[in-house]
Amino acid sequence: MREAEEIAQGSPVGACRLGRGFLELRIEEAVPDLDRPLVLMCGGGTRSLFAAEDLERMGYHRLYSVVGGFARWKAEGLPFDVPPRIDPNQRERYSRHLAIPEVGEAGQIRLLNSKVLLIGAGGLGSPAAFYLAAAGVGTLGLVDHDVVDRSNLQRQILHTDARVGSSKVASARHTLEALNPSVEVRTIEARLASENVEEILGGYDVVVDGSDNFPTRYLVNDACVKLGLPCAHGAVYRFEGQATVFWPGYPKQRGPCYRCIYPEPPPAELAPSCAEAGVLGVLPGVIGLIQAVETIKLLLDLGEPLIGRLLCYDALRGRFTELELARNPQCAYCGEHAIFPGYIDYEQFCSRAG
Amino acid sequence: MSRVTVRIPTPLRPHTGGADEVGLEGTTVGEVLQRLGAAHDGLLARVLTAEGEPRQFVNIYLGSRNVRGLEGMATRVSDGDVISIVPAVAGGAHKSQRTSARRA
Ligand SMILES: [Zn+2]
């Protein structure tokens, strides 16, 4: 007769864990025989007494309520067990996670209860979301305002040829739900702007930044700093990629934010031009998955996050190098005595590449 | 005078004829970069300000350390050192944008 949270703490061995909320709906299926004796138990003995009255009206007549409830049962050292908190289906699906002591059942449950927001369902967001869904991250939010273009399919593996022209977040949801139906995919078909960035990012545990433009990168950074969220950052260009984790609020090691490293985006005349764009299709797979690995590490508090380190991958040389990213104590956003200066909507002049 | 390697990021390679690394001599990071600029037209303006300091969206590394945390452009170099020019990269998908600011 207890709530789900109480039941999770344990029940007498062999008990039907029905709970009070759905008792009347579920009792007939659990105990079809009205003549069977029923022992009702709650936390302390009161709710079970009221439940007995309800069951009596339904036709059950051999009813017993346990005085002192589960609290007394446990105090008297009577046998109880904790219900399996992942179901057999999940146990099979995540068996290779359960086999790793660092993840195990507790870690898997943590992943199942986690919420990750992916900025962009494109080159970086596709592999990251794909593997995070496979790993059993319970809620995946996807922010993208674009539609699938045939030129995306060279690297954006969530999408398909048949979905060219449809919304990217809808296409992504299709693929992710097919892989793991238990993942809750939240689609946010919007362009991030100062007006909506906090509302969209709020409530998530980790943000994965796979955006393709400076205006979004700075908005995401500034909102993550303000909300105290870790940001798994990745960027790719032709044959080169970079990944790091920005999280000034990390309790174990205070790292920099994006603005500590690059206080302002490049002005128009010094940014790489649109004509120079292009990326090896496989490269965002490498970088997006480093972001996904870092995300899992953050969610499970495992190992050493890529905080304060920029991991650079040069695909042509086949070389990874690591650069130190230092905090800037004078940073306008995350510095010692910084007062949040507000969001900035940098405007982009480059028209969409075809 | 030390012999060092300067790593050129992809966006600046049009200035070095496509080369991803350039070997140079110098005693400080600043001196090496000035020589790099003298040898490759138009490159330095995208890396350093008129005063010879790294631009806000560019970082200069000596090995794995940002020279801002060392002695800046005056940081001395040794034989075999690697200097990396690391500009901000926007890309996650397929395009780079030009930007201007509008404060909210
Ligand atoms: Zn900062």
Side-chain angles (χ1 to χ4, degrees):
Chain A
M1 303 308 119
R2 295 174 298 153
E3 304 296 332
E5 284 166 20
E6 298 175 277
I7 292 171
Q9 305 304 311
S11 308
V13 176
C16 289
R17 302 178 173 104
L18 294 180
R20 182 68 191 92
F22 297 97
L23 179 65
E24 289 84 351
L25 291 171
R26 290 178 179 165
I27 188 71
E28 284 181 290
E29 197 189 326
V31 189
D33 180 5
L34 294 171
D35 297 320
R36 248 182 105 180
L38 292 177
V39 176
L40 310 177
M41 183 181 282
C42 65
T46 310
R47 283 171 290 173
S48 57
L49 209 54
F50 287 112
E53 290 178 9
D54 288 342
L55 293 176
E56 197 168 24
R57 278 195 287 275
M58 291 178 75
Y60 294 94
H61 55 97
R62 298 173 70 189
L63 296 158
Y64 305 89
S65 173
V66 178
V67 176
F70 182 66
R72 186 160 162 211
W73 181 279
K74 204 172 165 184
E76 296 207 1
L78 294 165
F80 70 96
D81 57 12
V82 176
R85 292 198 287 175
I86 48 184
D87 63 41
N89 208 324
Q90 291 173 323
R91 188 168 295 282
E92 188 178 1
R93 178 181 282 268
Y94 305 117
S95 60
R96 299 304 187 277
H97 270 168
L98 302 181
I100 311 174
E102 288 82 354
V103 183
E105 189 163 329
Q108 189 62 51
I109 288 166
R110 205 156 157 180
L111 291 179
L112 292 167
N113 292 324
S114 296
K115 298 184 179 73
V116 173
L117 182 70
L118 296 115
I119 311 295
L124 296 167
S126 284
F130 220 158
Y131 269 92
L132 291 174
V137 172
T139 303
L140 292 176
L142 299 167
V143 188
D144 205 308
H145 66 276
D146 237 337
V147 295
V148 180
D149 186 270
R150 186 157 279 112
S151 70
N152 300 153
L153 302 177
Q154 164 249 25
R155 65 201 174 281
Q156 300 182 17
I157 56 169
L158 287 178
H159 312 303
T160 66
D161 199 76
R163 297 203 288 267
V164 167
S166 55
S167 122
K168 272 194 185 175
V169 289
S171 167
R173 175 212 287 275
H174 207 84
T175 303
L176 297 173
E177 287 181 347
L179 172 65
N180 191 346
S182 65
V183 171
E184 184 190 338
V185 180
R186 294 182 187 166
T187 55
I188 302 122
E189 200 165 352
R191 186 192 290 273
L192 280 187
S194 59
E195 297 81 24
N196 64 13
V197 66
E198 264 188 40
E199 189 192 334
I200 291 174
L201 268 63
Y204 285 92
D205 300 309
V206 178
V207 174
V208 177
D209 183 6
S211 60
D212 58 3
N213 62 83
F214 286 117
T216 305
R217 291 217 183 265
Y218 281 90
L219 277 174
V220 168
N221 176 74
D222 299 350
C224 281
V225 170
K226 187 155 180 237
L227 300 172
L229 296 175
C231 176
H233 169 101
V236 290
Y237 193 79
R238 295 199 177 175
F239 292 96
E240 287 188 295
Q242 309 172 340
T244 186
V245 172
F246 292 115
W247 194 11
Y250 182 49
K252 293 185 192 168
Q253 171 207 343
R254 193 165 170 190
C257 81
Y258 191 57
R259 285 192 190 267
C260 290
I261 314 305
Y262 299 114
E264 299 285 338
E269 65 277 14
L270 293 168
S273 76
C274 306
E276 295 167 37
V279 64
L280 181 73
V282 182
L283 186 72
V286 175
I287 301 300
L289 292 188
I290 290 173
Q291 293 175 272
V293 168
E294 290 303 313
T295 299
I296 300 277
K297 284 166 60 187
L298 291 168
L299 293 173
L300 299 182
D301 195 15
L302 284 180
E304 285 171 46
L306 257 181
I307 288 174
R309 299 180 286 146
L310 185 70
L311 189 61
C312 305
Y313 176 51
D314 177 341
L316 286 180
R317 295 253 177 194
R319 180 171 60 196
F320 280 96
T321 43
E322 212 179 283
L323 301 174
E324 282 179 30
L325 298 182
R327 276 188 65 221
N328 173 9
Q330 273 84 51
C331 176
Y333 283 76
C334 78
E336 272 334 315
H337 304 289
I339 296 160
F340 190 74
Y343 295 110
I344 302 173
D345 286 303
Y346 298 101
E347 277 166 34
Q348 45 192 51
F349 293 134
C350 179
S351 62
R352 244 178 69 65
Chain B
M1 208 62 104
S2 304
R3 182 91 193 150
V4 303
T5 300
V6 182
R7 289 193 180 155
I8 312 296
T10 308
L12 298 185
R13 287 181 199 162
H15 296 284
T16 59
D20 65 341
E21 293 186 352
V22 176
L24 288 162
E25 290 191 334
T27 52
T28 64
V29 171
E31 190 184 338
V32 171
L33 291 182
Q34 290 302 328
R35 287 185 183 202
L36 176 73
H40 304 282
D41 246 12
L43 192 155
L44 218 52
R46 294 179 64 177
V47 177
L48 304 180
T49 61
E51 294 73 42
E53 290 300 312
R55 292 187 173 277
Q56 289 232 305
F57 48 88
V58 178
N59 284 299
I60 308 296
Y61 284 83
L62 178 61
S64 66
R65 303 284 309 277
N66 192 324
V67 299
R68 285 185 215 270
L70 302 170
E71 284 148 73
M73 291 295 110
T75 306
R76 298 186 71 82
V77 295
S78 311
D79 272 334
D81 276 352
V82 175
I83 296 172
S84 304
I85 301 170
V86 186
V89 181
H94 59 298
K95 56 194 189 280
S96 303
Q97 266 93 16
R98 297 167 173 241
T99 54
S100 75
R102 175 171 67 85
R103 195 168 275 270

